[in-house]
Amino acid sequence: MAKTLGLRKNPLKDEREQAFKQAALKLFSTKGYHKTTMAEVALEAGFGKGTLYWYWKSKEELYFALVEESHNEFVDLVRRAAEMEGTALEKLAWLGKETVELHYRERDYTKLSWKMRAEELETFSPEYVERMHENNAEIKRELQRIIEQGIEEGTLPPADPYYLACMLLGLVEGMEIQWLEDPEAFDLRKAMEMVLSLGAKVAGQRWSD
Amino acid sequence: MAKTLGLRKNPLKDEREQAFKQAALKLFSTKGYHKTTMAEVALEAGFGKGTLYWYWKSKEELYFALVEESHNEFVDLVRRAAEMEGTALEKLAWLGKETVELHYRERDYTKLSWKMRAEELETFSPEYVERMHENNAEIKRELQRIIEQGIEEGTLPPADPYYLACMLLGLVEGMEIQWLEDPEAFDLRKAMEMVLSLGAKVAGQRWSD
DNA sequence: CTTGTTAGACCAACCGGTCAGTCTTAATTT
DNA sequence: AAATTAAGACTGACCGGTTGGTCTAACAAG
């Protein structure tokens, strides 16, 4: 047929890869890593198991390809927030809203990423664990930058910025848990709005002792 | 003759059960549920696999016995906070400190409980999942009571108390994650103190619009 | 033919749980 | 105190099922 781009050998390759990823995401995010078999993923994608192994060399690799994709999206968001124009509070408000939208848009990814977090990290290959760790550190670093700005501006309390970053991240992650566990009872959008409005109210505070 | 003998009790039984639990806690909390085998648990405790099955009828049952033990301890704490004398802020401060101490004292339990939370809940028997859910709901209920009191007293913002409870719980859980992942970099005690002191500072705020 | 791609049978390892049988010892009898 | 009895604690080989990963035959395209 049409051999669109000269260089590409199999124009279907990307498409296939996408199909596998989608199938894997669906299964991993609902059934978890251990209870999902490679045969299932292949079947869900509509191919044979051997084909799946032609694209990824192991179950672990397939899994982390997905996890990393999801993480990168969030890292990107935080980075953009840190680099945009505006006050720290504006940056955080923007980041908060975008984060929520990201999660709503890609709920399966959020679920997956979340599962892997508590999954037995100790048992995955050190190489992958290392990458996850670095990823996480980067997020905290960017967050810290924003917070330092906020402290200078006087809208955030003059406390250890690293700890504030961890706490902020913790708050959001904690809310994500609540949301994932019971999306009906806990609306993440509403929660984020509450946090931001409380934050804004409190920002006028005289922080100095 | 040939009378049935009276009930006999092995004085070592409790002790043995403890040994199994301890071994299981150690392995589950470091390697996770799936990667821990019953044979390992038995070996670690110094007994044969069959004996382990004498005490628990399945791997799942053993696991949830531990998880529940840990959860109950926390539920108990929250309940006591809700029922003690004092202002909402005093209750929360007490609860926060006790919670941190509990986690330091029983780090393995915390880790286990945390793992199970994100582990593929969907794959455990509904019976167990149901119990975990109820447990969690109870915690939120008690927390909500304290928060309602705080709103009345004017020290907490007049917002949806259920959401505030979820957010508070989320904050603490999120911090626990940070701590579990890197206890060196993130000292849970220090973090909790920061939260409480910030909370106290902000409590004077005029919340009304 | 050569090269890239796909399918699915097949394999070896693993693991939860069982079971037939052994050992220990409290309770009872002599 | 000694002997007897059986509850109950314990064992580990074994079974059945599962699953990650491999291998090869086939097929398609150039």
Side-chain angles (χ1 to χ4, degrees):
Chain A
M1 324 285 186
K3 32 189 313 188
T4 46
L5 302 171
L7 293 178
R8 178 134 306 145
K9 292 281 165 72
N10 180 3
L12 294 177
K13 197 172 173 184
D14 280 356
E15 200 175 303
R16 298 267 148 92
E17 205 173 305
Q18 246 356 81
F20 278 126
K21 275 196 197 170
Q22 205 175 316
L25 176 60
K26 175 177 168 189
L27 291 170
F28 281 142
S29 73
T30 53
K31 307 181 58 175
Y33 180 77
H34 293 283
K35 294 266 179 167
T36 300
T37 72
M38 291 299 261
E40 278 175 317
V41 174
L43 186 70
E44 171 81 25
F47 294 91
K49 197 162 77 143
T51 312
L52 181 49
Y53 273 90
W54 195 83
Y55 284 87
W56 284 276
K57 75 173 202 294
S58 70
K59 187 184 182 182
E60 211 183 7
E61 193 178 282
L62 170 59
Y63 188 60
F64 275 86
L66 294 172
V67 169
E68 214 146 47
E69 211 163 87
S70 153
H71 267 219
N72 285 344
E73 227 169 328
F74 184 55
V75 171
D76 192 53
L77 219 52
V78 183
R79 215 173 257 150
R80 269 160 59 199
E83 270 153 24
M84 72 190 268
E85 294 290 319
T87 67
L89 247 44
E90 282 164 358
K91 291 181 183 180
L92 290 177
W94 181 85
L95 177 58
K97 273 174 195 141
E98 289 297 317
T99 303
V100 169
E101 292 314 314
L102 175 64
H103 288 322
Y104 271 95
R105 207 164 51 239
E106 315 259 27
R107 192 157 192 276
D108 280 350
Y109 269 115
T110 306
K111 219 165 166 181
L112 180 75
S113 167
W114 173 240
K115 272 185 199 297
M116 105 113 321
R117 191 79 174 276
E119 197 113 6
E120 32 267 71
L121 255 187
E122 290 87 349
T123 67
F124 285 117
S125 305
E127 168 206 344
Y128 292 112
V129 175
E130 178 56 42
R131 282 224 300 269
M132 293 326 312
H133 234 84
E134 177 43 46
N135 224 316
N136 220 315
E138 168 66 7
I139 290 172
K140 281 192 203 159
R141 241 178 279 131
E142 296 294 343
L143 219 46
Q144 196 174 333
R145 274 176 57 197
I146 304 181
I147 284 170
E148 276 160 0
Q149 182 192 342
I151 296 176
E152 273 172 34
E153 292 169 352
T155 48
L156 291 181
D160 185 328
Y162 173 76
Y163 271 70
L164 285 180
C166 287
M167 280 159 46
L168 193 58
L169 194 58
L171 173 62
V172 175
E173 282 175 353
M175 294 197 320
E176 276 170 32
I177 305 175
Q178 307 292 332
W179 173 62
L180 284 177
E181 284 189 345
D182 193 351
E184 318 283 305
F186 189 79
D187 179 325
L188 190 57
R189 276 201 194 90
K190 180 177 166 188
M192 181 59 83
E193 271 162 30
M194 275 176 66
V195 168
L196 291 176
S197 108
L198 286 177
K201 224 173 251 181
V202 156
Q205 173 102 17
R206 159 162 297 128
W207 290 112
S208 56
D209 247 346
Chain B
M1 49 190 84
K3 286 178 200 140
T4 50
L5 295 175
L7 288 178
R8 281 186 43 236
K9 200 185 153 221
N10 180 0
L12 293 176
K13 196 173 176 185
D14 282 355
E15 201 174 302
R16 297 272 150 89
E17 206 174 304
Q18 251 348 87
F20 278 124
K21 275 197 197 169
Q22 208 174 316
L25 177 59
K26 177 178 167 187
L27 292 170
F28 281 142
S29 73
T30 55
K31 308 180 58 176
Y33 180 76
H34 294 283
K35 295 268 182 166
T36 300
T37 71
M38 290 299 261
E40 280 175 316
V41 174
L43 186 71
E44 170 82 23
F47 294 89
K49 191 159 76 138
T51 313
L52 183 49
Y53 275 91
W54 173 259
Y55 286 87
W56 284 276
K57 76 173 201 294
S58 71
K59 188 183 183 183
E60 213 183 5
E61 192 177 283
L62 170 60
Y63 188 59
F64 275 85
L66 294 171
V67 169
E68 215 147 45
E69 212 163 85
S70 153
H71 267 218
N72 284 343
E73 227 168 327
F74 184 55
V75 171
D76 192 51
L77 220 53
V78 183
R79 216 174 257 151
R80 268 159 60 199
E83 270 153 24
M84 73 190 267
E85 295 290 318
T87 66
L89 246 45
E90 281 164 0
K91 290 180 184 181
L92 289 177
W94 180 86
L95 178 57
K97 273 175 196 141
E98 289 296 318
T99 303
V100 169
E101 292 314 314
L102 174 64
H103 289 321
Y104 271 95
R105 207 163 52 237
E106 316 258 28
R107 191 158 193 277
D108 281 349
Y109 271 116
T110 306
K111 218 164 167 182
L112 179 76
S113 171
W114 164 238
K115 271 184 198 298
M116 105 113 318
R117 190 79 175 277
E119 196 111 7
E120 30 266 71
L121 255 188
E122 289 89 348
T123 68
F124 286 117
S125 305
E127 166 206 346
Y128 291 112
V129 174
E130 177 57 40
R131 283 225 297 270
M132 292 328 311
H133 235 83
E134 176 45 44
N135 224 316
N136 220 314
E138 168 67 7
I139 289 172
K140 281 193 203 158
R141 243 177 278 131
E142 296 293 343
L143 219 46
Q144 196 175 333
R145 273 176 57 195
I146 305 181
I147 284 170
E148 277 161 1
Q149 182 192 342
I151 295 176
E152 272 173 35
E153 291 169 354
T155 49
L156 290 182
D160 185 329
Y162 173 76
Y163 270 70
L164 286 180
C166 287
M167 281 159 47
L168 193 58
L169 193 59
L171 173 62
V172 174
E173 282 176 354
M175 295 197 320
E176 277 169 32
I177 303 175
Q178 307 292 331
W179 173 63
L180 284 176
E181 285 188 346
D182 194 349
E184 321 282 303
F186 189 78
D187 180 324
L188 191 56
R189 275 200 195 91
K190 181 178 165 189
M192 181 59 82
E193 270 160 30
M194 276 177 65
V195 169
L196 291 177
S197 108
L198 286 177
K201 223 174 250 180
V202 156
Q205 171 103 17
R206 159 162 298 126
W207 289 111
S208 55
D209 249 346

